[in-house]
């Protein structure tokens, strides 16, 4: 079965380009651009990996990561933070997420990071 | 504009807003632009469309250049407002050096990078900031030396300190320029480089970071023969 990747970002162009890349590699992709239905959507269809932008309008990416990590049913689902913030790597470390990818990224880098974490995930 | 920016940058609220706007509003479109550009390149048969592939590679290189400029401006804004944070952690410096080399694949493709003196030295310093300094020195070494030449990265222990050097065999730096390259907006332009001129902020940022880590940076260079940049840091920062 295809690995399922959740991509959370408020920029639709970035969501689209990530979707093109991941679908071409055989992943199933769900895109989220608004913060108000993130937790319901993730809980309804638990992914193998979450790609999360640090800055989401309405809610901070670090707050989203912390809430996602605290949910019992999502324990073991890796979160990779993606950010344009120069302090992004440090913020990702503080948020205790599994990895970090700076924007702009090389397409090879995002594919490598997705492959690494999606394939390491073991079903709960 | 630069002077106005420098005057206003003392207001921390404005700096926060500036960093937020620049990071998000400029780097976000660059992200999709870079990714779509690379997808386009992957769809073109490089053998039958040599020109097109070359144009796309040049676009990619210019996107990287613009990203570097934005990152440098953001770092200067953080430095000027005192917001450039330093966070101490324990790590193996040698692994960090190797990781920085591995993440600069484009440099490794054009130059032979030689590592000397790498062992397994644990230090307590700021990993992210040191990575930034090493990346800057490695990028400069590649930028100011011809393809195919060596870049030598060496590490040695000097008592409670570590000295790291990055040596290139490129155009070198005139003596008069060596005194000012660690100041803001003092770049060394390489007439043979196909890149845009540098903003001259990378070495200034590296110098400021190393000062905050209790270290220092200096250069030895001969025009036409190459340059060696050294930095010295304590194994454990206070």
């Amino acid at each position: 079965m295809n690995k399922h990747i959740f991509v959370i970002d408020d920029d639709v162009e970035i969501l689209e380009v990530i979707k093109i890349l991941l679908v071409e590699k055989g992943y199933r992709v769900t895109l989220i651009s608004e913060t108000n239905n993130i937790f319901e959507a993730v809980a309804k269809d638990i992914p193998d990996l979450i790609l999360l932008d640090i800055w989401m309008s309405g809610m901070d990416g670090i707050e989203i990561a912390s809430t996602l990590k605290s949910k019992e049913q999502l324990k073991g689902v890796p979160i990779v933070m993606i950010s344009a913030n120069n302090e992004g790597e440090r913020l990702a470390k503080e948020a205790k997420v599994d990895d970090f990818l700076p924007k702009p990224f090389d397409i090879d880098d995002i594919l490598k990071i997705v492959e690494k974490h999606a394939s390491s995930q073991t079903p709960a | 504009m630069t002077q106005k920016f420098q005057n206003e940058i003392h207001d921390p609220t404005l700096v926060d807003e500036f960093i937020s706007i620049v990071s998000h509003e400029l780097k976000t479109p660059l992200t999709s632009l870079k990714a779509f550009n690379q997808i386009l390149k992957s769809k073109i048969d490089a053998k039958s469309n040599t020109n097109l592939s070359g144009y796309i590679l040049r676009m990619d290189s210019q996107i990287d250049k613009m990203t570097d400029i934005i990152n440098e401006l953001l770092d200067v804004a953080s430095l000027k407002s005192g917001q450039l944070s330093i966070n101490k952690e324990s790590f193996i410096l040698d692994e960090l050096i190797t990781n920085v080399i591995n993440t600069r694949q484009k440099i490794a493709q054009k130059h032979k990078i030689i590592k000397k003196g790498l062992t397994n030295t644990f230090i307590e310093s700021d990993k992210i900031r040191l990575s930034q300094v090493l990346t800057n020195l490695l990028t400069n070494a590649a930028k100011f030396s011809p393809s195919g030449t060596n870049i030598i990265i060496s590490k040695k222990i000097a008592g409670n300190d570590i000295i790291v050097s990055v040596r290139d065999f490129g155009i070198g730096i005139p003596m008069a320029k060596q005194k000012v390259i660690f100041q803001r907006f003092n770049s060394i332009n390489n007439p043979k480089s196909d890149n845009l001129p540098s903003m001259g902020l990378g070495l200034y940022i590296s110098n400021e970071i190393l000062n905050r880590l209790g270290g220092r940076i200096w250069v030895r260079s001969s025009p036409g023969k190459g340059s060696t940049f050294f930095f010295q840091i304590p194994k454990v920062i206070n």
Side-chain angles (χ1 to χ4, degrees), chain A residues 3-36:
Chain A
K3 295 279 183 182
H4 179 206
I5 317 293
F6 240 84
V7 191
I8 306 169
D9 197 308
D10 58 1
D11 187 274
V12 288
E13 289 293 325
I14 289 175
L15 287 176
E16 277 304 313
V17 80
I18 292 177
K19 185 178 179 182
I20 291 168
L21 288 167
L22 297 184
V23 167
E24 197 163 85
K25 293 291 174 188
Y27 293 102
R28 185 162 69 86
V29 180
T30 303
L31 305 179
I32 296 275
S33 63
E34 289 174 5
T35 50
N36 52 6

Side-chain angles (χ1 to χ4, degrees), chain B residues 4-134:
Chain B
K4 187 166 182 272
F5 170 71
Q6 285 179 19
N7 291 340
E8 292 187 350
I9 210 161
H10 293 290
D11 182 339
T13 322
L14 279 177
V15 172
D16 270 350
E17 196 181 330
F18 171 80
I19 289 173
S20 169
I21 290 169
V22 172
S23 294
H24 201 252
E25 302 306 322
L26 293 184
K27 284 164 81 178
T28 296
L30 280 181
T31 302
S32 48
L33 182 60
K34 184 175 177 68
F36 277 121
N37 192 48
Q38 290 187 350
I39 290 173
L40 186 61
K41 183 177 174 296
S42 71
K43 303 288 177 200
I44 286 176
D45 180 356
K47 282 178 187 164
S48 59
N49 290 290
T50 319
N51 283 345
L52 279 183
S53 292
Y55 298 154
I56 292 170
L57 277 176
R58 284 162 77 168
M59 281 164 65
D60 194 55
S61 153
Q62 294 307 308
I63 294 168
D64 287 347
K65 181 74 193 171
M66 196 177 284
T67 306
D68 287 345
I69 289 171
I70 294 168
N71 285 338
E72 287 185 351
L73 285 172
L74 290 170
D75 283 334
V76 171
S78 301
L79 280 166
K80 287 293 290 177
S81 66
Q83 291 177 24
L84 193 98
S85 55
I86 297 294
N87 290 277
K88 186 163 82 168
E89 63 180 303
S90 181
F91 60 95
I92 300 173
L93 176 64
D94 315 77
E95 281 183 4
L96 179 72
I97 294 172
T98 302
N99 286 342
V100 168
I101 294 169
N102 290 342
T103 55
R104 307 306 282 189
Q105 286 298 324
K106 284 177 187 167
I107 293 175
Q109 283 164 10
K110 289 186 177 175
H111 290 79
K112 187 180 177 194
I113 300 175
I114 299 165
K115 295 181 276 187
K116 284 187 177 174
L118 296 199
T119 48
N120 280 308
T121 309
F122 267 99
I123 65 167
E124 284 184 31
S125 193
D126 189 310
K127 195 176 180 179
I128 294 171
R129 299 290 173 217
L130 273 182
S131 164
Q132 204 178 338
V133 170
L134 281 163

Side-chain angles (χ1 to χ4, degrees), chain A residues 60-79:
Chain A
D60 191 84
I62 291 175
E63 203 183 325
I64 297 170
S66 159
T67 309
L68 289 169
K69 286 270 175 198
S70 70
K71 294 198 181 289
E72 189 60 37
Q73 64 201 117
L74 297 177
K75 280 198 173 145
V77 177
I79 298 176

Side-chain angles (χ1 to χ4, degrees), chain A residues 83-115:
Chain A
S83 179
N85 189 327
N86 268 30
E87 293 291 315
E89 192 173 354
R90 197 178 304 287
L91 295 171
K93 214 174 234 178
E94 282 169 22
K96 296 188 170 66
V97 294
D98 299 85
D99 220 330
F100 170 73
L101 185 69
K103 286 180 181 174
F105 46 76
D106 279 317
I107 59 175
D108 288 345
D109 290 338
I110 191 167
L111 291 174
K112 265 186 222 161
I113 219 164
V114 167
E115 193 185 345

